[in-house]
Amino acid sequence: MSDTDSDWKEERVQALKESLSFFSNAEKLNREKWVVRQLLKALHVDFREEEMNEAAEPVDVAFRNAGFQVKEILDEGRRRTDEYKNKLERAKSAQHFGELLEHYTPLDISFSEVVQQCYAYAESLLTQSKYGPHECKNIDLLCYFNWQDYGVVPPIDVPVKEIGFRSLSVVSNRYCAVVYASSNAPTFLKGNIGKAK
């Protein structure tokens, strides 16, 4: 392996170690804040980092008068930690530059379909949640759609329908939207219903 290949290998190994650290239990709050941050930026909400705080269950991140419960939607059966551990082992044992490359052929999913997936997920939470309807009516559910090897594309129509949470917002790798907000939801969420950004 040449010096250039070796440098690239070291960078890849370091990046995978950092990813494993980020996806550890210890970094859960930072991941949740990252998702909230993506939504706030997309909605053009001016904020300071210290406005996002860890909150008591059932809320994950408190921001002003919003109480976000952040849920990541992964592919069914996906085990991300195992995935990154396997990539790290492959990178460590690579002898040639080509072994560090990964084949990538992304599939398309429309943002409209992403929103439908998040509605279905939210409805499943209501039926299996440890929180009752009263608690859910005070939760701002924030879904981070993270299917592997999928690129989110138009159409971006956002169907608005009532759900048992105070609000439902969606963050994906390309678009963000508030897809539902009740009358008592925070103003910055109510003012952006149905707009994909």
Side-chain angles (χ1 to χ4, degrees), residues 10 12 14 17 36 48 50 52 57 75 77 82 106 130 160 169 189 195 197:
E10 288 174 20
R12 178 71 175 147
Q14 185 58 36
K17 285 180 179 178
V36 173
R48 295 181 321 278
E50 57 270 17
M52 288 187 282
E57 282 290 328
D75 317 56
D82 291 345
K130 58 184 175 182
V160 178
S169 301
L189 295 174
K195 300 172 190 169
K197 304 188 181 212

Side-chain angles (χ1 to χ4, degrees), residues 46-62:
D46 289 327
F47 66 95
R48 295 181 321 278
E49 286 295 318
E50 57 270 17
E51 291 183 274
M52 288 187 282
N53 297 291
E54 185 173 13
E57 282 290 328
V59 172
D60 296 317
V61 178

Side-chain angles (χ1 to χ4, degrees), residues 21-167:
S21 174
F22 183 69
F23 292 118
S24 69
N25 288 337
E27 290 295 312
K28 181 177 182 288
L29 178 61
N30 287 329
R31 286 193 308 276
E32 292 165 343
K33 285 182 176 181
W34 180 86
V35 176
V36 173
R37 193 178 303 116
Q38 296 306 110
L39 177 67
L40 296 175
K41 286 178 181 178
L43 299 180
H44 304 290
V45 174
D46 289 327
F47 66 95
R48 295 181 321 278
E49 286 295 318
E50 57 270 17
E51 291 183 274
M52 288 187 282
N53 297 291
E54 185 173 13
E57 282 290 328
V59 172
D60 296 317
V61 178
F63 172 76
R64 298 179 185 167
N65 60 338
F68 290 108
Q69 186 176 87
V70 180
K71 296 291 188 184
E72 184 176 21
I73 300 177
L74 297 171
D75 317 56
E76 190 174 336
R78 183 175 173 196
R79 299 177 56 89
R80 185 179 36 221
T81 301
D82 291 345
E83 177 185 309
Y84 277 97
K85 284 179 181 175
N86 291 338
K87 287 180 180 184
L88 179 59
E89 289 310 309
R90 280 197 310 271
K92 284 179 177 178
S93 64
Q95 296 299 311
H96 305 286
F97 179 81
E99 293 177 71
L100 299 175
L101 301 176
E102 294 182 12
H103 188 67
Y104 181 63
T105 52
L107 302 171
D108 289 342
I109 185 169
S110 73
F111 188 67
S112 300
E113 176 60 24
V114 167
V115 170
Q116 291 298 339
Q117 292 283 335
C118 292
Y119 270 127
Y121 181 76
E123 288 170 359
S124 74
L125 285 179
L126 290 168
T127 61
Q128 54 188 277
S129 177
K130 58 184 175 182
Y131 309 112
H134 178 71
E135 290 88 354
C136 291
K137 292 253 181 231
N138 294 303
I139 293 172
D140 299 299
L141 185 61
L142 175 53
C143 293
Y144 173 46
F145 185 84
N146 188 12
W147 279 7
Q148 188 176 30
D149 299 332
Y150 275 82
V152 180
V153 298
I156 59 172
D157 302 326
V158 178
V160 178
K161 65 180 183 180
E162 189 171 345
I163 192 78
F165 291 91
R166 182 167 65 177
S167 69

